Amino acid sequence: MKFLSGNQLRETYLQFFASKSHLRMPSASLIPENDPTLLMIGAGMAPFKPFFTGKMKPPCDRITTSQKCVRTGDIENVGKTARHQTFFEMLGNFSFGDYFKHEAINWAWEFLTVELEMPKDKLWITIYPDDDEAFKIWTEEVGVDPTHVVKLEDNFWEIGPGPCGPCSEIYIDLGEERGCGSPECAVGCDCDRFLEIWNLVFTQYDRDEEGNYTPLAKKNIDTGAGLERLASVVQNKQSNFETDLLFPIIEYASKVSAISYGNNEKNDVSLKVIADHARSMTIMILDGILPSNEGRGYVLRRIIRRAIRHGRLLGIEASFLTGAVAAVIEIFGNVFLELVEKQEYIKKVISLEEDRFHTTLAQGIDLLNKQVAEIEVAGKKVLDGESAFKLYDTFGFPWELTAEILEEHNMSLDKEAFDAAMKEQRERARAARQENQRVAIPDLRGLDAEKLTRDESATSAKVVCIWQDGQMVDSVNDGEEAGIILDVTPFYAEGGGQVGDCGQFVTELGKVSIVNAKKLLNGTIYHIGYVEEGMLKVGDTVAIEIDQPIKIATARNHTATHLLQAALKQVLGGHVNQAGSAVSAERLRFDFSHFEAVTAEQIKEVEKIVSKIILTGTKVDIVETSQDEAKAMGAMALFGEKYGDRVRVVSVGDYSKELCGGSHVGNVATIGLFKIISESGVASGVRRIEAVTGAVALKFVNEQLENLHVVSDMLKTRPEEVVTRLDSVLANVKSLEQSLNEMNVIKAKADAQKLLGEAETINGVPVVIGQIHVSDIDEIRKIADIACDKLNNGAVVLGAIIGDKVNFVAKVSKDAVAKGIHAGNIVKAAAKIAGGGGGGRPDMAQAGGKLTDKLAEALEAASATVREQVK
């Protein structure tokens, strides 16, 4: 067998398939492109999914790559087995409707047995049981001994509906000494004797939702061969970790920790974890991933902190990961050339994360050890979620790290309770950002405001200062909110009723989401930011990105507010003046002086005027001038508003002219659709109009039309005839309600008459006590009134079940009251039995309860109460 270094092996593979007319392509980034279903690339074929599904045409029908991959689904097994890794390279050759099984199988065999000189008698093949074509090619064309071809039901690749097909794997027998010793040991055994080194997926079917398989017109080939696995074979190593693709990093960790490899299994696990994780973190950062508490950034943070913890298990107290990164770059520097260019950046990111975790790691481990001891004393096996969340929130422990440490003590974590605590914290943080969106301002008197400028064209700036909770800080990390001042900013600061701009700052070490911009009393603009990834430091240069769609939508609403005010003056009168406003991307709100509700006709006229101006396509002119010149121009100022010596005049032809410092469109046509959605009163003499423009207005109108169509369908008529049809329906309903009321009166009289037939005399007083069946309390009262009137100086007590509750009504005549009967006390006694309460006057009372099954018993209590009351 030919010995090759890992780098030579990769190059040999790529050159081999390039000689077979394959386009040699570089590895794609670990960050998937236009594929929200993937967190990171974890397979060689993943970047080519659009080619396999036919959504895109490939640059060539034959492609070969060595793809960077990261998988963390079984991260806890890294270091414990010979093959588990989080980062690996997948060698691949792909055919998109070109060659198929014949070429794929023959070339795989040629590469392994000719290029790598692997012994043919040590190679084993697996195929899908029904794949007779593959069996024939392997045994008749390639010449593999049929006894070395194993049929396995698992050899069929599919993930739900879509392209799928059988697969064929190649295994190498590494010898009995590497096996489990079982006489049953064979291909598929979990031991290390038979190692899978190649997988050929024959994508030849399209599976539909019902599970039917239709042959594809163009069949595809997807090959996967793990570089590290092949390297372990050609280099005759016991595991992937001992190949030259990983072992130099183990040697570094061994040197730093002064612990030799191969003497202690537990130490070896930690050395291998560090080696694997160093490769993952280096390549992930190279591809633009930064540590954070979400998504890919969380995976990176977990990997870094897991490596730090295993360094601590080896006795490494100081920072050491940048040295491991150097070892990674030594291995891959000639393969991924950007590694050399970005090595200082990668080391800086890891160093900052390592320093950050080191400050809390020891405290966190001490706390967890105490909790483990307490659990053992209590005879329990589970750490509560709240304690695990404290380790995460206070000490930066990813929950998986806590779970691993617990597992070492044969314990587990209450993950459900941890998730609940995490969700609660995120909701609190989100609410704080949305509702508060401001930070306490520190003492900024030392800041030279004269050197700070606003330039709408600025795309980069330097961070001048950062603060949190009213205190100046040098830096902020992911998950933290802060106030930030730049030496120059294009952001519009909140003012004049308009929200501040939002967007983001991006540096090589972090990304900050800017949720608002505000202005200090001296005019200095500051930004309220939330660090999404990495960190931000004073002195950093940031790339500035304003959220343009939101800014433009806000500008539409602001210019529309000016047009609205002018239209209101025209329709309602010159007394209309602005009393307040709020302008955002979603809507505009305009408060104005007016002493009565604006009628529907007036609203319609205002909308018509504003829309007419928008359709003129008039340019919006903005000029800066003196206050006197602005007044001479006829510009309208807001009452009570303070203006400087220089003011900004926003004009829309001769129609509107106002002093305003806000954002506006360049032409009124940009506003698009304008729609008033509400009119209301907010104070004495002050009315409020809310309106929407552009896409939001279109959405509002479409929703209204959709509701109209739903109603027209329900009424079985055309939308334009809905009103006429509804008038007819309402008239019919009114007629039916009148008929129903008449029937209810007849029914009530009949029910009352029936009850009178069941009346009994108690000490000379006629009394009716019984259950009736009605739909509401009003019916009970009506029947009680009628029965009492006809009873002639008596008492009526009625009970009924309405829904899931019991209701009681008692009506007593004047003579009966004089004899001691009290309606309020009767229903009170009945309701108590039915689990409720109530009462009322001596002559009339009602009560309720929730125990419907106690109605009969409650009426008996009412009867007993009446007997006690009669004198």
Side-chain angles (χ1 to χ4, degrees):
M1 192 157 26
K2 185 185 292 185
F3 179 92
L4 293 172
S5 70
N7 289 336
Q8 288 173 331
L9 180 58
R10 182 193 303 104
E11 185 62 26
T12 300
Y13 179 91
L14 295 173
Q15 284 186 4
F16 175 81
F17 281 99
S19 73
K20 307 293 185 186
S21 302
H22 286 64
L23 173 64
R24 178 174 172 173
M25 292 183 68
S27 171
S29 167
L30 286 172
I31 301 176
E33 186 176 350
N34 300 321
D35 190 348
T37 65
L38 295 177
L39 190 64
M40 277 183 285
I41 296 296
M45 60 76 64
F48 303 130
K49 280 171 68 176
F51 304 152
F52 280 112
T53 58
K55 290 182 179 178
M56 291 178 62
K57 181 176 175 60
C60 180
D61 290 336
R62 299 181 180 187
I63 290 176
T64 185
T65 62
S66 180
Q67 176 61 45
K68 299 174 286 190
C69 299
V70 168
R71 294 182 192 169
T72 58
D74 49 7
I75 191 172
E76 66 280 355
N77 289 325
V78 172
K80 297 177 182 177
T81 72
R83 315 296 170 198
H84 277 97
Q85 298 156 231
T86 56
F87 172 81
F88 58 93
E89 286 184 74
M90 188 62 76
L91 302 171
N93 57 283
F94 308 96
S95 168
F96 307 105
D98 187 44
Y99 64 83
F100 199 48
K101 291 182 186 178
H102 174 80
E103 295 86 350
I105 290 174
N106 277 280
W107 289 339
W109 189 258
E110 180 184 350
F111 180 77
L112 293 174
T113 60
V114 178
E115 291 294 324
L116 301 187
E117 301 175 5
M118 288 187 180
K120 296 179 181 179
D121 62 329
K122 294 293 184 183
L123 297 178
W124 288 71
I125 312 300
T126 65
I127 62 170
Y128 185 62
D130 296 339
D131 195 352
D132 297 332
E133 182 185 5
F135 182 81
K136 187 175 181 180
I137 295 171
W138 278 117
T139 57
E140 296 181 14
E141 292 185 23
V142 176
V144 174
D145 182 346
T147 63
H148 274 222
V149 180
V150 181
K151 296 182 178 182
L152 298 175
E153 287 289 343
D154 290 342
N155 276 37
F156 196 93
W157 183 89
E158 63 181 336
I159 306 177
C164 58
C167 62
S168 182
E169 300 161 328
I170 304 175
Y171 286 77
I172 186 167
D173 183 355
L174 298 174
E176 289 185 20
E177 66 278 7
R178 300 279 290 276
C180 57
S182 169
E184 305 297 324
C185 185
V187 170
C189 184
D190 290 335
C191 72
D192 289 336
R193 176 177 175 178
F194 294 94
L195 177 67
E196 180 197 337
I197 54 175
W198 203 285
N199 187 14
L200 293 163
V201 179
F202 309 124
T203 312
Q204 64 189 79
Y205 300 111
D206 184 22
R207 178 191 163 189
D208 62 21
E209 295 284 355
E210 284 72 41
N212 301 310
Y213 296 88
T214 305
L216 289 169
K218 288 190 174 183
K219 299 175 173 60
N220 306 314
I221 289 292
D222 165 18
T223 293
L227 175 64
E228 292 83 1
R229 288 191 176 210
L230 281 175
S232 73
V233 175
V234 300
Q235 294 174 20
N236 193 27
K237 299 297 183 183
Q238 295 284 320
S239 76
N240 296 357
F241 293 94
E242 292 166 18
T243 68
D244 62 351
L245 294 169
L246 279 146
F247 199 68
I249 316 169
I250 289 178
E251 289 180 313
Y252 163 77
S254 179
K255 181 180 178 181
V256 173
S257 64
I259 291 178
S260 299
Y261 177 78
N263 293 334
N264 179 282
E265 185 178 345
K266 191 175 180 181
N267 288 340
D268 286 353
V269 168
S270 291
L271 289 168
K272 287 187 280 189
V273 166
I274 291 168
D276 169 79
H277 289 12
R279 297 202 319 166
S280 290
M281 66 181 77
T282 301
I283 304 301
M284 288 173 75
I285 297 169
L286 172 69
D287 281 356
I289 300 169
L290 290 171
S292 73
N293 284 334
E294 301 287 342
R296 289 181 283 268
Y298 179 74
V299 175
L300 174 58
R301 170 163 287 165
R302 180 186 173 194
I303 285 171
I304 293 173
R305 296 190 171 187
R306 197 168 184 271
I308 295 169
R309 191 236 168 186
H310 278 275
R312 185 62 67 92
L313 290 175
L314 294 174
I316 305 174
E317 299 291 334
S319 298
F320 70 97
L321 287 179
T322 54
V325 169
V328 174
I329 294 172
E330 189 68 29
I331 297 168
F332 292 105
N334 292 325
V335 181
F336 308 121
L337 301 180
E338 323 93 273
L339 270 177
V340 178
E341 298 170 14
K342 291 188 173 181
Q343 61 179 316
E344 292 308 316
Y345 165 72
I346 294 168
K347 289 178 180 178
K348 190 172 186 180
V349 171
I350 290 174
S351 178
L352 289 169
E353 182 68 12
E354 191 172 14
D355 290 345
R356 187 178 176 189
F357 190 43
H358 261 307
T359 59
T360 59
L361 177 60
Q363 292 173 281
I365 288 178
D366 285 345
L367 176 61
L368 182 53
N369 287 337
K370 288 178 183 176
Q371 289 171 335
V372 166
E374 289 172 2
I375 293 172
E376 286 177 340
V377 170
K380 297 179 180 179
K381 288 288 184 180
V382 180
L383 176 68
D384 63 279
E386 193 173 318
S387 296
F389 180 74
K390 182 179 180 182
L391 284 165
Y392 166 83
D393 195 39
T394 306
F395 302 103
F397 274 47
W399 72 265
E400 298 91 341
L401 179 57
T402 301
E404 279 186 47
I405 297 172
L406 289 169
E407 191 177 344
E408 292 168 6
H409 293 84
N410 296 316
M411 296 178 181
S412 61
L413 163 68
D414 185 346
K415 182 62 167 48
E416 189 175 329
F418 174 88
D419 289 341
M422 172 70 85
K423 182 180 179 182
E424 189 178 325
Q425 186 225 39
R426 284 176 174 164
E427 287 174 351
R428 282 197 305 268
R430 189 180 297 114
R433 290 199 299 275
Q434 290 175 344
E435 294 173 15
N436 204 15
Q437 286 198 351
R438 57 197 177 115
V439 288
I441 309 298
D443 185 350
L444 296 172
R445 285 176 292 183
L447 194 67
D448 190 352
E450 297 295 325
K451 293 183 179 180
L452 307 178
T453 59
R454 180 171 187 260
D455 180 354
E456 291 189 11
S457 64
T459 57
S460 65
K462 185 177 180 181
V463 178
V464 174
C465 69
I466 304 173
W467 67 86
Q468 289 179 298
D469 301 322
Q471 300 296 319
M472 302 289 279
V473 295
D474 294 325
S475 63
V476 280
N477 296 295
D478 61 278
E480 297 177 348
E481 190 179 48
I484 305 159
I485 293 179
L486 306 178
D487 61 348
V488 58
T489 180
F491 278 68
Y492 171 82
E494 181 181 298
Q498 180 183 322
V499 296
D501 284 338
C502 58
Q504 66 177 9
F505 298 160
V506 180
T507 73
E508 65 171 10
L509 291 176
K511 183 186 293 182
V512 183
S513 173
I514 303 302
V515 297
N516 202 356
K518 296 195 174 190
K519 191 179 289 186
L520 300 175
L521 292 175
N522 64 1
T524 298
I525 294 174
Y526 69 93
H527 314 79
I528 299 172
Y530 177 77
V531 185
E532 291 185 341
E533 292 181 2
M535 66 181 302
L536 183 73
K537 304 194 310 300
V538 172
D540 279 352
T541 297
V542 299
I544 300 170
E545 299 173 9
I546 290 180
D547 192 320
Q548 289 298 331
I550 289 180
K551 186 176 181 71
I552 292 169
T554 304
R556 284 193 187 97
N557 286 334
H558 204 149
T559 306
T561 304
H562 286 210
L563 302 185
L564 173 62
Q565 177 165 232
L568 286 168
K569 280 181 175 290
Q570 187 175 333
V571 173
L572 303 180
H575 64 279
V576 169
N577 284 303
Q578 180 174 333
S581 71
V583 177
S584 68
E586 290 76 30
R587 63 177 60 200
L588 67 90
R589 189 191 76 212
F590 185 70
D591 296 345
F592 57 97
S593 53
H594 190 58
F595 298 95
E596 60 185 4
V598 184
T599 67
E601 285 301 316
Q602 290 170 328
I603 291 288
K604 192 185 297 183
E605 184 63 21
V606 168
E607 280 187 342
K608 182 179 177 182
I609 291 171
V610 173
S611 297
K612 186 177 179 181
I613 297 300
I614 291 171
L615 290 172
T616 64
T618 302
K619 180 186 175 186
V620 178
D621 292 312
I622 300 176
V623 297
E624 283 195 6
T625 184
S626 67
Q627 279 202 52
D628 291 338
E629 288 177 354
K631 289 176 182 176
M633 292 167 62
M636 182 168 51
L638 297 184
F639 178 76
E641 188 78 13
K642 293 181 180 179
Y643 298 96
D645 295 333
R646 301 290 294 176
V647 293
R648 195 164 172 261
V649 180
V650 179
S651 304
V652 179
D654 294 328
Y655 180 70
S656 169
K657 206 179 295 302
E658 292 188 34
L659 301 186
C660 181
S663 303
H664 290 275
V665 296
N667 187 298
V668 291
T670 307
I671 296 170
L673 182 61
F674 172 84
K675 188 67 184 170
I676 293 174
I677 60 174
S678 72
E679 190 278 340
S680 60
V682 292
S684 178
V686 179
R687 306 298 298 178
R688 170 174 292 173
I689 279 179
E690 290 186 273
V692 288
T693 64
V696 179
L698 181 62
K699 181 173 179 282
F700 174 81
V701 170
N702 284 338
E703 287 173 350
Q704 298 300 304
L705 286 173
E706 186 178 335
N707 290 336
L708 175 61
H709 282 285
V710 170
V711 172
S712 67
D713 288 344
M714 292 171 67
L715 294 172
K716 295 180 172 56
T717 188
R718 293 195 299 272
E720 60 269 26
E721 295 177 353
V722 163
V723 175
T724 303
R725 176 67 175 145
L726 195 55
D727 280 341
S728 174
V729 170
L730 291 175
N732 191 34
V733 169
K734 186 175 181 180
S735 175
L736 289 172
E737 285 178 343
Q738 185 174 347
S739 298
L740 182 62
N741 287 335
E742 291 172 356
M743 290 298 296
N744 283 337
V745 170
I746 294 171
K747 179 180 179 297
K749 289 180 179 179
D751 288 343
Q753 191 62 45
K754 182 181 177 183
L755 287 168
L756 290 173
E758 299 172 359
E760 65 174 312
T761 302
I762 301 175
N763 292 340
V765 178
V767 178
V768 171
I769 299 175
Q771 178 181 353
I772 59 174
H773 301 282
V774 294
S775 58
D776 59 50
I777 190 73
D778 286 338
E779 284 190 66
I780 305 178
R781 284 196 290 263
K782 283 180 184 177
I783 295 171
D785 285 341
I786 294 171
C788 194
D789 287 344
K790 292 188 175 185
L791 199 56
N792 191 21
N793 299 327
V796 177
V797 182
L798 303 178
I801 297 173
I802 302 174
D804 59 351
K805 293 182 180 179
V806 183
N807 289 274
F808 301 98
V809 170
K811 185 72 184 291
V812 182
S813 69
K814 288 183 179 179
D815 289 349
V817 169
K819 293 183 178 182
I821 299 179
H822 192 292
N825 292 338
I826 295 170
V827 297
K828 184 177 181 181
K832 184 177 181 182
I833 298 296
R841 305 191 310 268
D843 62 328
M844 170 65 188
Q846 68 183 54
K850 53 189 177 182
L851 304 178
T852 56
D853 58 327
K854 296 286 188 180
L855 176 56
E857 187 180 338
L859 291 175
E860 288 177 6
S863 177
T865 304
V866 172
R867 294 178 189 280
E868 292 172 2
Q869 289 179 342
V870 178
K871 297 176 182 176

